Amino acid sequence: MSGSDFNTAAPWSEGPRRMGADKTGDYVWVCDWWGGILPRIDIRTQKVTIVPLPRPDALQPYQAAVDSHHNV
């Protein structure tokens, strides 16, 4: 057991939350709440690219929304 609950995490835990899909593109974005990162999954190749946030200690993405210009 890692010691995590719904609101706090043990060190180095990951906490994926609500994903967002690019409806006209090839990517699904995963919000990593505890990790402070934004992984991007290519639906064609299944390649995962980690997009770091400027302040991972303070920025905790919860829900991804993709606009018509492919911006998250």
Side-chain angles (χ1 to χ4, degrees):
M1 185 164 181
S2 69
S4 302
D5 64 14
F6 75 96
N7 199 25
T8 58
W12 303 286
S13 295
E14 302 297 328
R17 295 296 195 250
R18 297 182 178 170
M19 295 185 286
D22 191 347
K23 293 176 178 55
T24 59
D26 295 333
Y27 299 107
V28 173
W29 296 85
V30 181
C31 295
D32 187 0
W33 177 261
W34 292 328
I37 57 175
L38 199 61
R40 179 181 72 185
I41 303 170
D42 188 319
I43 63 171
R44 307 270 183 235
T45 64
Q46 284 78 44
K47 180 181 176 193
V48 177
T49 304
I50 303 296
V51 178
L53 297 178
R55 293 213 37 222
D57 59 327
L59 299 173
Q60 299 171 320
Y62 181 74
Q63 182 173 359
V66 185
D67 67 10
S68 60
H69 300 287
H70 311 289
N71 297 314
V72 179

